[in-house]
Structure formats: structure tokens, C-alpha cells
Amino acid sequence: MGNYWRPATLEAALRILVEQAPRLLAGGTDVYPALTQAAAWGAAPAPALLDLTGIAALRGVTRTGGTWRIGALTPWAVLRDAPPAPGFRALAEAAAQVGGRQIQARGTIGGNLCNASPAADGVPPLLILDAAVELASPRGLRVLPLREFLPGARRTARAADEIVTAILVPVAAAEAPSVFLKLGARAHLVISIAMVAASANGRVAVGACSEVARLWEEGLAPIDDVRASAAYRRAAAEELVARARARLAA
């Protein structure tokens, strides 16, 4: 294994990132399995790691003025158990289906976004909340709409010298009740075939049916893979949207 750092401040982390160019590590629930699998197939030793979990300032959910701020290191268990407003109910329901309880205690919302899987459970609930991503670098802070932060599968708009510090949600967008529905090959511990987040304000987002999760009105581009055919995914998404809207109406 390469070098390992676990700084206590964002400033120190940014300095190490610029000077050493390590791989970033949050909860590790995606990184460690990937490294283990690579090692099993004879890949090169693990890269240097910059562990962000020592930065307490990147955890927690707070409200400042008209914005909810979710620290990038906030674990799924916190989002599952304490949604701060009705609009976060979909995110809480998604959090309850991210792996098992151990993964929910360890995995982070920021890590989920940076892993950029088409089936990332956190993305559809955040899309209906009109969320944005805050990034820090030695040059300062910048904020990107979530849909711009995720341009494609396994790709983000994070620059090499940036760290995701928070997800920002307008308070007004979080007032309407919301729901989350997920379809997989079994009830738990499964990667989604299709998933839907919907809000009573009319916003609907679909995940695992395109290269990145999309708002419903943007259209879908599902693929055939080992979990489902494109046709099945499209039909499943339509059914989940109908069920989500029915739940909200009830």
C-alpha cells in the first residue's frame, strides 16, 4: 500500500492533495472493494490514500438562511434516521436501502456522488431537491448544480485539486413531501435495476436507466446488461413513477 494521510482540517487535506496527488477516501465502501478486487487480479499496489474522515467539519446537516447544507462526509445512517424536512424523505428512504446497516453507518453521501455510478441511490432524491455540489480547492469554493457535477457514468466535474465539501439544497425545494422507490433482483443489498424519486411539487427523477440519473422529463436511455434489458428497465421505470405518484397522492 502507498502512503496514507488522515488530516484533521480541510486546509491540510487540500495541501496534501496538491502536493501528493493521492486518491481520495471517504467511507471507503466503494474504494476498498475495488482495490481488493484489483489486487486479487494482480494489479499494482494500492495508490496513496488521502482519508478525509478526520475532518469533522465535513459532517452533519445544517440550515443557514435559505439553504440546507449536507456535509460530504455525512453517513447514510444520519440521512436515514433524521430527515430535516419533508422533501428529504426520499433521500432517507434511499439511505435505508444503501447496502446493509454497516454500509449505511460507514458510507457517505459525498462518496456516493463521487463514485458516479449510474445506479447511485443518492442521486435521484437529490435531483428532485434541485441540489448543488460545493467543491473546495486552494483557489477557493465553487458550486455546481448536481446535473453538471455528474456528466456521465463514473465521471464527475471535480478538478484534480478539488474536494467535495457539501451538498446544498434550497430550503424551498425541501418543503414538498417526497418518496423513493427502488427495483432490484431482491429486496435488499442489491444494485438497482431502476429507481425513482418523486416530489409532491411534481419533480420526478429516475436512476439506473441512463448513463446518469435524470429528471423524468429529460427522457431515458437504458441499456441491456446482466441485471435487465433496456426494455424491461423502461417499463419498470414507468411503473415506479406511477407508484410514486400514487403514494404522494395518497
Side-chain angles (χ1 to χ4, degrees):
M1 180 173 176
N3 291 330
Y4 172 86
W5 297 271
R6 189 174 184 265
T9 67
L10 178 61
E11 292 74 17
L14 289 171
R15 183 171 61 254
I16 295 167
L17 181 61
V18 171
E19 294 174 356
Q20 304 293 334
R23 183 170 183 172
L24 297 180
L25 177 69
T29 57
D30 289 310
V31 171
Y32 284 131
L35 292 177
T36 300
Q37 182 181 28
W41 287 94
L49 294 175
L50 174 53
D51 186 344
L52 303 176
T53 59
I55 308 174
L58 299 187
R59 289 192 182 87
V61 182
T62 57
R63 176 177 172 175
T64 302
T67 302
W68 285 107
R69 179 185 178 86
I70 308 172
L73 292 183
T74 303
W76 289 112
V78 170
L79 301 169
R80 177 196 69 207
D81 295 340
F88 285 91
R89 175 53 58 186
L91 188 61
E93 293 177 348
Q97 298 188 62
V98 176
R101 304 285 285 191
Q102 297 94 334
I103 295 296
Q104 293 163 21
R106 183 70 182 176
T108 66
I109 183 70
N112 187 250
L113 297 186
C114 288
N115 191 50
S117 166
D121 291 320
V123 178
L126 290 173
L127 281 176
I128 65 171
L129 287 169
D130 197 24
V133 178
E134 179 188 88
L135 303 104
S137 75
R139 295 169 279 112
L141 294 176
R142 68 173 179 138
V143 176
L144 286 175
L146 178 58
R147 61 188 178 276
E148 294 181 16
F149 178 74
L150 296 171
R154 304 295 183 181
R155 294 187 292 121
T156 75
R158 184 183 72 85
D161 64 346
E162 288 182 318
I163 292 174
V164 173
T165 50
I167 295 90
L168 308 177
V169 172
V171 167
E175 293 306 308
S178 64
V179 299
F180 176 82
L181 296 174
K182 173 177 176 174
L183 174 67
R186 55 183 183 267
H188 299 287
L189 302 174
V190 64
I191 297 174
S192 297
I193 294 172
M195 56 182 157
V196 166
S199 171
N201 64 13
R203 290 174 68 89
V204 177
V206 179
C209 289
S210 297
E211 190 177 10
V212 295
R214 296 180 179 178
L215 293 173
W216 179 241
E217 62 267 23
E218 293 174 356
L220 306 178
I223 62 169
D224 297 310
D225 65 12
V226 296
R227 285 187 288 277
S229 68
Y232 182 79
R233 277 195 165 92
R234 187 178 298 278
E238 292 173 353
E239 177 62 23
L240 290 177
V241 169
R243 292 184 186 185
R245 286 172 168 164
R247 274 187 59 188
L248 288 169

